[in-house]
Amino acid sequence: MTVFKPIIADTYQFYETDSLEHLEMLQEKDYRYINSIHFSLAKVNRDKLGDITIIDNSMLLAFSERATNIFKSAGKFLKLQDTDDYSLLDAPIINALDYEKSIIDYFAGTQQLKRIRKYFFNTQVIKEIDAFTLPIQGSPVFVTDTFVEKYKVNGYNGLDFYIVFSE
């Protein structure tokens, strides 16, 4: 199994929010505020968004209506206010990180995670999953090879995939 971190493709743009405060709430995975979040497409060339895009630099994935239909198994989708054609993926939170085998930096004298330099995942936990996040604040969405295969077979655009783990 291979696990990837989606990144915005060179020829595409991020989906931009109009408020950093709202984006920070999303990054903390506090979706109680989802109805008050407004997204602005004024700064973005719609042709450069792609079928799947990333909201600002948050690693939260927004799916076009066309892509949402194929990726229903990836998690719940939340309709975003002010847009009819993009939904936010609420990927399941899965405790799949093998802390013993991963290379992790902690803040000095604490057990507070600073950075994960090398990921090692328990593949038994994620074998049937297309996309997930870790139970760590600010965790990006990770996708599996199943997700990438669906993405490629259906001819979607907007993302590239960076390998973070492969067994």
Side-chain angles (χ1 to χ4, degrees), residues 108-122:
T110 72
Q111 286 299 311
Q112 186 179 2
L113 190 135
K114 181 179 182 180
R115 169 178 64 154
I116 301 172
R117 287 192 282 143
K118 180 147 178 72
Y119 290 89
F120 196 95
F121 291 102
N122 177 350

Side-chain angles (χ1 to χ4, degrees), residues 42-62:
K43 303 177 212 166
V44 178
N45 178 345
R46 289 189 67 81
D47 296 335
K48 294 207 169 217
L49 279 178
D51 295 300
I52 304 172
T53 187
I54 297 171
I55 297 176
D56 289 314
N57 289 307
S58 69
M59 291 309 302
L60 295 169
L61 300 180

Side-chain angles (χ1 to χ4, degrees), residues 45-141:
N45 178 345
R46 289 189 67 81
D47 296 335
K48 294 207 169 217
L49 279 178
D51 295 300
I52 304 172
T53 187
I54 297 171
I55 297 176
D56 289 314
N57 289 307
S58 69
M59 291 309 302
L60 295 169
L61 300 180
F63 287 65
S64 68
E65 188 174 339
R66 178 176 95 103
T68 302
N69 293 329
I70 296 297
F71 288 101
K72 286 181 180 168
S73 62
K76 294 185 300 186
F77 285 92
L78 306 169
K79 275 307 224 184
L80 298 174
Q81 192 170 337
D82 296 344
T83 179
D84 294 330
D85 51 357
Y86 278 86
S87 296
L88 179 71
L89 173 64
D90 186 8
I93 299 170
I94 308 290
N95 194 8
L97 187 67
D98 186 325
Y99 287 85
E100 299 295 318
K101 294 180 181 174
S102 296
I103 300 173
I104 302 172
D105 293 336
Y106 294 94
F107 286 102
T110 72
Q111 286 299 311
Q112 186 179 2
L113 190 135
K114 181 179 182 180
R115 169 178 64 154
I116 301 172
R117 287 192 282 143
K118 180 147 178 72
Y119 290 89
F120 196 95
F121 291 102
N122 177 350
T123 57
Q124 292 304 310
V125 176
I126 55 174
K127 67 181 176 182
E128 306 278 326
I129 295 174
D130 288 349
F132 65 96
T133 62
L134 297 172
I136 299 169
Q137 185 176 352
S139 171
V141 174

